[in-house]
Amino acid sequence: MKKKIGTLLIAAMGIGLSSCNNQPQANDSKNETNKKETATKSADGQKIVYVEIDSIMSQYTYWQEITKTMKAKEANIQKTLAKKQQTIQQAAAKFQQDLQANKYTQAQAQQIQASIQKQAQDAEALQIRLGNEYQNEVAKYNKALSDSVHNYLKLYNKDKKYAMIIAKSGDNILYADPSCDITDEVIKGMNKAYKGTKK
């Protein structure tokens, strides 16, 4: 649960968004068209471009909404677990005080101690269960994001203008000419498509 959902994206995306097929939108500016024409070409003359994954994660509306949802869920889980822990600590402290004051028989003390231990075990099991549920949900959303990016790029490059569309994240690409960056256009298109699905 401590893993940030954003950091899981790179693995989910598979790093290489290759052989993607999608056509530029009709309202692309002339500058964007010229920019694409200067994109890097591979040895056989086919163009290679890239998309900044960090920008998609910060500007794609779907991912912004999911991140907000998951942060709220994580905070709720932490609040639930903290409350359980506080209850157990208070019960344990009271038990120690009453034990020192000789308020219990030996049998009563053992019963109460066993009850507190059971609460602690249940809290630990709850933490594991909620953590697993959270991670499974993160994985589900990561897959949905990965699928949406791949599906959009297939549509975007349906004229096969680009031989490859690479996912750029951090320093995983040592150098890339800015003219090969189609990130802004892709984000605009994905946000437009996502907005359409919500209507």
Side-chain angles (χ1 to χ4, degrees):
M1 189 176 67
K2 291 182 180 178
K3 288 184 180 179
K4 299 298 181 184
I5 53 180
T7 61
L8 300 179
L9 172 65
I10 305 307
M13 296 287 290
I15 296 296
L17 305 173
S18 61
S19 300
C20 299
N21 311 314
N22 203 319
Q23 180 175 343
Q25 301 296 320
N27 62 356
D28 289 343
S29 68
K30 188 173 181 180
N31 288 339
E32 288 173 331
T33 302
N34 291 338
K35 177 179 170 183
K36 292 173 202 165
E37 291 301 324
T38 61
T40 301
K41 294 186 178 181
S42 61
D44 58 0
Q46 292 182 302
K47 297 174 185 175
I48 298 174
V49 292
Y50 68 89
V51 176
E52 291 271 7
I53 295 302
D54 291 346
S55 296
I56 289 180
M57 290 166 61
S58 64
Q59 298 175 42
Y60 183 26
T61 304
Y62 165 78
W63 196 245
Q64 290 172 338
E65 293 175 357
I66 293 306
T67 299
K68 184 177 179 180
T69 297
M70 295 308 292
K71 282 183 177 178
K73 186 177 184 71
E74 183 177 6
N76 188 52
I77 290 172
Q78 290 175 344
K79 183 178 179 181
T80 298
L81 295 175
K83 187 175 180 180
K84 289 275 184 186
Q85 187 66 28
Q86 184 179 21
T87 299
I88 294 168
Q89 288 174 348
Q90 289 174 345
K94 184 178 186 305
F95 171 69
Q96 287 298 326
Q97 289 176 354
D98 291 345
L99 189 64
Q100 290 175 357
N102 295 319
K103 290 186 177 181
Y104 305 123
T105 64
Q106 185 175 356
Q108 289 174 329
Q110 289 175 345
Q111 186 178 10
I112 294 171
Q113 188 174 21
S115 174
I116 293 173
Q117 289 174 345
K118 177 68 165 55
Q119 290 179 54
Q121 291 171 354
D122 290 346
E124 185 177 355
L126 177 64
Q127 181 177 8
I128 293 171
R129 180 175 64 80
L130 293 178
N132 288 338
E133 288 176 0
Y134 179 86
Q135 289 298 334
N136 289 338
E137 195 166 355
V138 167
K140 179 187 73 174
Y141 284 130
N142 272 318
K143 185 178 186 306
L145 175 62
S146 178
D147 289 346
S148 68
V149 173
H150 282 86
N151 292 336
Y152 178 78
L153 288 175
K154 286 177 183 177
L155 177 64
Y156 171 84
N157 199 44
K158 65 184 178 184
D159 60 356
K160 300 184 187 296
K161 184 166 187 174
Y162 303 123
M164 186 177 292
I165 300 178
I166 299 172
K168 183 177 186 296
S169 175
D171 296 328
N172 70 312
I173 296 178
L174 297 179
Y175 173 77
D177 192 303
S179 66
C180 304
D181 186 356
I182 60 169
T183 306
D184 289 345
E185 185 181 346
V186 167
I187 291 172
K188 286 177 185 176
M190 290 179 67
N191 281 334
K192 183 177 179 181
Y194 178 63
K195 186 177 180 181
T197 63
K198 296 185 71 176
K199 289 184 178 179

